[in-house]
Amino acid sequence: MPRCSVALLLNFVPPYRVALLRALEREVRRLTVLVSTGMEADRSWKTDWRGLDVRVARSIALPYRRRHPDGFSEALTLHLTFDLLPRLGFLAPDVVISGEFGPRTLQACLYRRLAPFLGRRTRLLVWATVSEHSEHGRGRLRTILRRLIAKLSDGVMTNGESGARYLESIGFAPERIFRIHQSTDLDRFTDINASARTSTGAEQAVRLVTVGSLIPRKGLRSFLQHLIAWCGQHPDQTLHWRLIGEGPERAALEALVLPDNLRLELPGNQPYERVPALMADADLLAFPTLADEWGLVVNEAMAAGLPVLASNRAQASEEMVSDGENGWLFDPADPDSTEKALARALDTPPEQRTAMGAAARRTSAGFSHEHVVQRMTRAIDAVWAS
């Protein structure tokens, strides 16, 4: 199959995607990344493209709030790009990959239909990082627009089985859905020294770590209340929860009265490169999200050798966590499910947690950038050949 030129359309390039895009760049004839902004305002990351051909389009950002049927709301941003069509006309890519289902992808659909009149052959792949939980309760107009995109595009890439089920429900043909998991820089986490998790002293605290924005969707306040209840029932045992990130839930978390045997550490936002070190002395990852299209921190924690206490409302949990083998699964909307999984995780002997962490690390190896790029190139070749 001849190598194609590719235009990738995104809101911005997060740091965890840079190595992936550099690997993809080596597999195609030309990769050009068109972004709506260098970095979104609510992100603490630094802009770092490390030699990629990234071009910032003329756009405006419109903030809005979405109310999820599961009872939380979140602040989101809609990017409107003004010069996308002429940029695509100048680049003349063989394949356009467009992130998500917004105005950017509608413009990509228009370019896909206009290209033959310009004497060009172009194919369009939508990159839909979605799950059934993340898309639950989308409005009628949005669903109509997505069904239109399904008709006008040549294929769609998504994170896993939950995303595929959602996409099929809005009109994508099963044979046009390409399952491509999310990946991270595994080497940054596999170098963590597991001996850092060995504590000394008569009282050994079980150390939990969580990485993510402190927002209602992450289910942090409810999970902390479960930790408080567990500590009340186990006064002779100690928990330490390091919660890395920042957001509007911080004040509510700090306001909760904690028992003496529970320590909550809130170091705030941390540079991306420091996250592996902050995982080094943890015993397990806590991931109580109410809805996540993936949950890349699960990849990172598993690569670091941590078993994962994970909400079943994230696609990473569905695709990566085997209950009782490399982690524990629970439904954050079900208090009984959460309490039972929490008890199982915290009652697991340290040597068994270590073995589960080793199993988690083996699982993470199957979610490398190399595997993801192989699947992406197969999807690109498939739509180009169609």
Side-chain angles (χ1 to χ4, degrees):
M1 181 69 64
R3 302 213 307 172
C4 300
S5 62
V6 175
L8 175 61
L9 318 181
L10 300 172
N11 285 340
F12 65 100
V13 177
Y16 58 78
R17 281 240 171 100
V18 173
L20 172 66
L21 297 184
R22 289 181 65 85
L24 177 62
E25 184 179 45
R26 292 190 289 270
E27 299 299 321
V28 299
R29 180 159 53 84
R30 184 185 71 228
L31 175 67
T32 307
V33 185
L34 298 177
V35 297
S36 300
T37 182
M39 185 60 61
E40 289 191 327
D42 62 344
R43 309 284 179 165
S44 61
W45 299 318
K46 295 179 180 178
T47 300
D48 179 10
W49 297 326
R50 281 176 266 173
L52 289 168
D53 183 6
V54 180
R55 308 179 190 188
V56 182
R58 294 180 56 202
S59 305
I60 61 170
L62 301 177
Y64 69 99
R65 295 197 70 84
R66 183 201 172 196
R67 181 74 180 176
H68 195 278
D70 288 344
F72 61 87
S73 64
E74 56 183 330
L76 300 170
T77 303
L78 177 68
H79 293 275
L80 297 178
T81 303
F82 300 111
D83 59 349
L84 186 57
L85 289 176
R87 284 179 178 272
L88 289 175
F90 175 76
L91 290 170
D94 298 319
V95 176
V96 177
I97 302 176
S98 184
E100 309 308 341
F101 285 111
R104 171 195 310 112
T105 301
L106 285 171
Q107 290 184 75
C109 288
L110 178 58
Y111 177 78
R112 162 71 176 85
R113 296 299 151 178
L114 290 175
F117 298 101
L118 303 175
R120 296 169 183 171
R121 185 174 184 269
T122 299
R123 294 293 181 262
L124 171 62
L125 265 173
V126 180
W127 194 354
T129 52
V130 296
S131 73
E132 291 160 304
H133 286 297
S134 70
E135 304 312 298
H136 184 211
R138 291 292 189 183
R140 180 178 174 81
L141 177 59
R142 191 180 293 265
T143 301
I144 291 172
L145 290 175
R146 291 180 175 190
R147 289 185 180 277
L148 176 63
I149 289 171
K151 292 181 180 296
L152 296 177
S153 59
D154 299 289
V156 59
M157 305 186 303
T158 193
N159 320 32
E161 293 303 325
S162 178
R165 289 191 296 269
Y166 170 76
L167 293 167
E168 192 170 346
S169 77
I170 62 170
F172 280 95
E175 65 273 13
R176 295 196 296 133
I177 300 173
F178 301 92
R179 293 155 179 82
I180 299 174
H181 302 128
Q182 290 206 30
S183 60
T184 190
D185 304 337
L186 296 180
D187 291 345
R188 299 176 58 244
F189 296 89
T190 54
D191 291 338
I192 287 178
N193 184 359
S195 65
R197 301 187 186 116
T198 303
S199 295
T200 58
E203 284 193 72
Q204 177 178 334
V206 179
R207 296 158 296 189
L208 297 80
V209 65
T210 299
V211 183
S213 300
L214 309 188
I215 56 177
R217 177 169 60 83
K218 295 297 184 178
L220 303 171
R221 203 186 318 179
S222 174
F223 186 74
L224 180 55
Q225 290 168 337
H226 284 291
L227 293 182
I228 291 170
W230 188 91
C231 285
Q233 297 163 6
H234 300 81
D236 58 335
Q237 299 184 55
T238 304
L239 298 183
H240 177 188
W241 189 20
R242 176 180 291 152
L243 185 47
I244 303 166
E246 197 56 82
E249 285 285 276
R250 184 184 183 110
L253 293 167
E254 291 177 325
L256 290 173
V257 178
L258 306 183
D260 292 339
N261 58 335
L262 174 58
R263 180 189 172 197
L264 177 65
E265 180 186 352
L266 294 165
N269 284 330
Q270 297 294 316
Y272 181 64
E273 59 273 11
R274 284 205 60 210
V275 172
L278 291 168
M279 286 185 175
D281 62 351
D283 296 301
L284 60 93
L285 175 82
F287 185 54
T289 183
L290 300 178
D292 251 290
E293 45 83 13
W294 183 256
L296 202 60
V297 68
V298 173
N299 301 56
E300 296 171 341
M302 285 188 158
L306 297 182
V308 178
L309 175 59
S311 160
N312 63 5
R313 299 194 172 203
Q315 209 161 184
S317 306
E318 292 183 3
E319 301 283 336
M320 300 184 72
V321 179
S322 297
D323 192 84
E325 296 181 15
N326 57 20
W328 309 266
L329 290 168
F330 66 94
D331 183 350
D334 181 347
D336 185 58
S337 170
T338 305
E339 290 167 10
K340 287 180 178 178
L342 180 61
R344 289 170 59 213
L346 297 181
D347 290 343
T348 299
E351 60 274 13
Q352 186 178 342
R353 282 200 305 266
T354 299
M356 293 176 72
R361 180 167 279 172
R362 290 192 295 271
T363 298
S364 74
F367 293 78
S368 66
H369 286 330
E370 290 75 16
H371 289 164
V372 169
V373 167
Q374 287 174 10
R375 293 188 179 199
M376 290 182 75
T377 53
R378 285 199 292 267
I380 291 168
D381 290 345
V383 297
W384 180 241
S386 64

